[in-house]
Amino acid sequence: MKTKKKFIVCVSAIILTLSINSFAGSMDMFNNEKGAIRIAGGTAHIPVMKEAAARIMTQNPDIHISIAGGGSGAGIKQAGEGLVDIGNSGRKATKKEITRFNLKMFKWAVDGVGIVVNPANRVRTLSQVQVAAIFRGDITNWQKVGGYNKRINLYTRDNASGTRAVFWKKALKKGKIAANANFVVSNGAMKAAVSQDPYAIGYVSVGHIDSSIAAVAFNGIQPVLANVQSGRYPIARGLYSNTKGRPTGLVKKFIDYLFTEEGQKIVTQKGFVPVKYF
Amino acid sequence: MKHEKIIAKLFFLSAFLSCLITFSIIGFLLIPGLPLFWEGHLFAILTTPWAPDDNQFGIYPMVAGSIAISLLTIMFAFPLSLGCAALISLEDKNKSGIFVRKIVEMMTGVPTVIYGFVGIFLLVPLMRDFFNAGSGMCILTAALMLTLLVSPTMILLFCDSFAQVPKSYGDAIMAMGGTQTQKFLYITLPNSKSGIITGITLALGRVMGDTLIVLMIAGNAVQVPGSPLDSVRALTSHIALVFAADYSSPEFKAIFACGIFLYIFSSILAVITNFTRNR
C-alpha cells in the first residue's frame, strides 16, 4: 500500500516536471531572439495570433509581432509577394497560388463557421434548405422560419474571405447570395453588425461566437467546439498559416510555437479545434 | 540674382515632379486597364452587373451607387452650407456667426474614421428604427454622414467668396434702405457665383473619393439602388473590397476600370473648378 502511494507520488512528480519542462520548452526557443514578424490575412485567426504574440512578446521584449486582417485572399497574396512573413488563410491555397508563390501551408486548427443572429431574435435553428433560401432572398421574413414578423437583413463577406468560401460551399451548396446583402470586411465586423441589428443573419468563425450574438443550429446541430471536433457539424474548415517557401528563423519558430502544447492550448481556449493532442 | 535662378529652377523641378506623378498615375491605371478598351469591354464594364460567380465583372452598380451617394450628399450639404455661410458673413460682428465659424473650423480637422464610427454606432441604428426598412446601412445614412464631412469645407469656401464681394456694394444697397436679406440675395450671392461652384465641385470630388465612411456605413451590397434606403457599394469601397483578390484574376482587372472612372471624374471636376476660378 505504502509503496503504491510512493509510486504514484513519484510518477506524478515526474509528469509534473516533464510538463513544466515542456511548457518552459515552448518559450525557450525564443530566447535571445530579436526581430519582427509581420502577419496578415484571415480574420478568424486573429484571436489566436494575438494571444500567441502577446505571450511571446511579454517574455521576449526584443521580438515584435504585428497582426493585420484583410481576409484569406489578402493573406495568401501578401505572403506570396513578400509583403508579410506569414499570411493566414481560412481556406487551402489553390494549386495555382501554391505553385506561383511557392507557398508552404501549415494547418494548425480546425474551425467551424456558425450561422448567427441577434440575441433578440428567437430563431435558434435552421435547416440547410432554409438557410439557402434566406441567403438567396426567397425567404425575406423571420416569421416564415419561426421568428417574429420582421424582415430579414442579410450580412455577408467579400469574395476574399475564407469564411465566406466555406459557408458558400457547405451551407449554401454554392447557391446564390441575394444582391441586397450587406457586405462586412471581417469576422469582427460581422459580429458587430449582427449584434447591432435585431433582424440580422450572418455567419462567423465559431471562435468568434459569444453572448453578443446568438448561434443558430444548422440542420439541428449546434455550432460548438465539440460538434466541430467530432465532425458532426458540417460547415468546417482548416485554419492555415502560409509562408513563401520554407519558413526560417523567427518565423519558423513562431509557426512551431503554434504546434506546441501551449500553442494548441491557445487554439482550444479561443474556441477552435486543435490539430495535435498532448 | 544667382539665388533667384536657383530657386526658380527648384520650383520648376517640383512643379515638373508633381505633373510627372499625376501623369504616371493615369499611366499606371491605363496600362493594365488598356485591354479593357481594346476589346471594347469598357462600355460593357460600365453598364453590366457584378457577379464574379457568373463571370460578370461589370461595375455599373458601383457607378450608380457612387453617383447616388454623391448627389444626395450635395443635396443636403449645399443648402446647409449656404445657410451657415450666410449666418457667418451676415453682419460684421455677430457673436453667433463667430461661434459657428469656430465650430466649423474645428470640424474640418475631424478624421473620416471618426465619422464612420459615429455613423455605425449612432446613426445606423437610428435610421433602421426610424424607417423600419433594411438594415439602416444605406445611401441616406452615408449621405448624412458625408454631409457632415464636406459641409465645413464648403462653408469656409463660401465664406471666403462672400468676403471677396466689395463692401461698398453692400453699403450701397443698405443706404438705399435695403434689408440684410435683400443685400444677401441680390448682391452677395450673385457676386460669389464662381466661389459657390468651386465649393460644390470640390465637395463632390471629396464625396466621390471618400472610402472609409461609405465602406463602413453604406452597406456595400452590389445592387443598383432603387431608393435612398437601399444598401449600396461605392466605387471606392469596391476597390477596397476586391483589392484582396488574386492579382491575375478578372476581378482585379475590373477594379482598374473603377480607378479610371474615378480619375476621369475627378479630372472633370478639377477642370470645372479651374474654369470657374479663372473667369
Side-chain angles (χ1 to χ4, degrees), chain A residues 133-213:
Chain A
I134 288 172
F135 274 87
R136 201 165 52 229
D138 287 349
I139 297 178
T140 55
N141 195 307
W142 281 113
Q143 207 168 25
K144 287 216 171 124
V145 289
Y148 301 106
N149 181 18
K150 293 285 181 191
R151 70 188 177 278
I152 299 176
N153 292 332
L154 298 176
Y155 288 86
T156 185
R157 297 274 308 277
D158 49 286
N159 283 28
S161 157
T163 313
R164 174 201 167 103
V166 64
F167 178 79
W168 181 64
K169 201 168 132 193
K170 296 183 178 171
L172 302 184
K173 306 276 182 221
K174 302 195 177 179
K176 261 205 165 60
I177 296 179
N180 64 359
N182 293 299
F183 280 74
V184 291
V185 292
S186 67
N187 273 296
M190 178 69 88
K191 199 163 95 175
V194 174
S195 66
Q196 287 264 313
D197 182 349
Y199 321 123
I201 185 166
Y203 49 88
V204 292
S205 152
V206 166
H208 278 73
I209 296 177
D210 61 20
S211 58
S212 70
I213 48 180

Side-chain angles (χ1 to χ4, degrees), chain A residues 36-86:
Chain A
I37 310 176
R38 292 160 303 167
I39 304 172
T43 55
H45 308 55
I46 289 178
V48 173
M49 291 286 139
K50 266 193 175 156
E51 179 66 29
R55 289 194 193 185
I56 294 167
M57 288 193 290
T58 17
Q59 293 275 321
N60 307 276
D62 284 339
I63 299 176
H64 185 77
I65 303 172
S66 66
I67 302 156
S72 299
I76 290 170
K77 199 166 80 174
Q78 290 187 9
E81 276 155 5
L83 296 172
V84 295
D85 303 308
I86 298 174

Side-chain angles (χ1 to χ4, degrees), chain B:
Chain B
M1 268 334 247
K2 220 177 171 189
H3 284 300
E4 242 171 64
K5 265 189 179 167
I6 293 170
I7 290 169
K9 273 194 177 145
L10 269 177
F11 281 156
F12 174 76
L13 195 74
S14 52
F16 178 73
L17 263 180
S18 30
C19 284
L20 192 75
I21 291 169
T22 318
F23 281 110
S24 49
I25 290 175
I26 187 84
F28 163 78
L29 283 174
L30 279 178
I31 290 166
L34 263 184
L36 304 170
F37 287 101
W38 282 337
E39 293 154 26
H41 283 174
L42 191 77
F43 189 68
I45 278 187
L46 283 181
T47 52
T48 51
W50 173 265
D53 298 334
D54 295 338
N55 268 323
Q56 279 190 304
F57 302 100
I59 57 168
Y60 176 55
M62 277 62 84
V63 173
S66 268
I67 290 174
I69 291 175
S70 308
L71 289 184
L72 198 65
T73 306
I74 297 303
M75 264 170 61
F76 290 143
F78 176 62
L80 186 82
S81 305
L82 202 63
C84 272
L87 177 74
I88 292 170
S89 349
L90 201 57
E91 279 169 89
D92 286 336
K93 281 179 195 149
N94 63 339
K95 272 186 185 152
S96 51
I98 293 167
F99 180 69
V100 170
R101 194 187 169 104
K102 283 270 172 287
I103 289 187
V104 167
E105 279 168 356
M106 225 166 65
M107 277 172 72
T108 53
V110 177
T112 53
V113 66
I114 305 286
Y115 286 128
F117 222 67
V118 170
I120 206 158
F121 285 107
L122 272 167
L123 195 58
V124 169
L126 219 68
M127 300 294 277
R128 179 170 50 228
D129 296 338
F130 188 75
F131 288 103
N132 199 27
S135 59
M137 296 193 190
C138 59
I139 299 176
L140 186 60
T141 318
L144 285 173
M145 226 56 222
L146 283 167
T147 302
L148 268 183
L149 178 77
V150 296
S151 291
T153 328
M154 267 172 113
I155 293 169
L156 293 179
L157 268 168
F158 288 176
C159 283
D160 286 351
S161 64
F162 291 170
Q164 274 169 16
V165 178
K167 199 169 173 290
S168 53
Y169 291 14
D171 289 347
I173 201 169
M174 295 308 277
M176 286 191 292
T179 61
Q180 284 285 1
T181 322
Q182 283 171 329
K183 177 179 134 189
F184 180 73
L185 281 180
Y186 300 111
I187 300 295
T188 316
L189 217 50
N191 279 299
S192 36
K193 218 195 232 159
S194 73
I196 290 172
I197 295 175
T198 309
I200 294 175
T201 45
L202 280 180
L204 251 179
R206 187 141 189 228
V207 176
M208 265 279 187
D210 176 79
T211 316
L212 211 62
I213 291 180
V214 287
L215 184 65
M216 281 170 92
I217 60 182
N220 300 322
V222 186
Q223 61 179 348
V224 179
S227 97
L229 296 175
D230 278 349
S231 155
V232 292
R233 186 184 288 193
L235 283 165
T236 46
S237 327
H238 188 59
I239 295 178
L241 284 165
V242 175
F243 185 72
D246 192 341
Y247 272 168
S248 57
S249 63
E251 280 106 318
F252 198 78
K253 282 181 189 139
I255 66 175
F256 277 95
C258 296
I260 292 171
F261 187 85
L262 280 169
Y263 198 99
I264 292 172
F265 189 80
S266 60
S267 304
I268 291 172
L269 287 180
V271 169
I272 293 174
T273 315
N274 254 331
F275 187 68
T276 51
R277 266 202 177 151
N278 288 341
R279 276 212 309 186

